[in-house]
Amino acid sequence: MKTLTIDLDDLIIALATRYELDDPSHYLDLDTGEVIYAGEGLEALPPDLATNPRYRWIEPVQAEPALQVIEAFIAGVGDPQARETLTAAFQDDEPFEAFKEAMQTLPDLRDEWFSFHHQAYSTMAQDWCQQQGIDPQWQ
């Protein structure tokens, strides 16, 4: 297994951007540990980013595990009224957007959500690295 120093927050962003960017595309530089965002309009990207094995594409977390993170958070909310609001949002046809909107009405839960999300995605980042044969040293 290759040991690599990686910025955990950058990897979490790469794993979590599926629903926040129109065309998410992140790569991990296997030589430096840098997470590279390769969105539209960016210059100075390596010309062989998509073809060189030095760069590993980071597939964003699929919808089901992302929804499971939200569902687990809702289950742990202590305030019954807030939990009811979030549960109703989660049952919407667009649960990601509805959850985000519902959270805007519950500012007291904001820090708790970010902490929960970070912890859940830290575990996913660790798992992703292991699947890629990488022993991450978080920065």
Side-chain angles (χ1 to χ4, degrees):
M1 200 167 280
K2 178 178 182 161
T3 299
L4 197 59
T5 301
I6 302 169
D7 185 311
L8 176 60
D9 290 335
D10 285 350
L11 184 53
I12 288 172
I13 289 168
L15 291 169
T17 56
R18 173 175 294 283
Y19 301 101
E20 296 174 13
L21 299 174
D22 292 334
D23 185 24
S25 194
H26 290 87
Y27 293 83
L28 178 65
D29 184 326
L30 297 175
D31 287 349
T32 67
E34 178 186 9
V35 175
I36 301 168
Y37 172 64
E40 277 187 50
L42 296 179
E43 297 177 15
L45 292 172
D48 60 348
L49 186 65
T51 58
N52 187 330
R54 170 183 173 175
Y55 306 106
R56 182 76 45 90
W57 179 61
I58 302 169
E59 181 177 4
V61 171
Q62 297 297 311
E64 185 175 334
L67 287 170
Q68 289 170 348
V69 170
I70 293 171
E71 190 172 33
F73 174 74
I74 293 169
V77 170
D79 177 342
Q81 189 172 15
R83 189 172 52 252
E84 183 179 320
T85 298
L86 294 173
T87 298
F90 186 76
Q91 294 170 347
D92 190 88
D93 289 339
E94 298 287 336
F96 292 104
E97 187 61 34
F99 176 79
K100 188 175 177 181
E101 289 174 13
M103 283 299 295
Q104 290 177 359
T105 69
L106 301 165
D108 293 344
L109 289 178
R110 180 184 166 101
D111 289 342
E112 188 178 335
W113 163 244
F114 286 133
S115 176
F116 188 89
H117 181 273
H118 190 273
Q119 183 58 45
Y121 275 78
S122 293
T123 300
M124 291 181 200
Q126 181 72 38
D127 292 347
W128 183 86
C129 286
Q130 300 260 319
Q131 292 167 3
Q132 306 304 314
I134 298 167
D135 177 20
Q137 303 301 306
W138 301 124
Q139 174 181 10

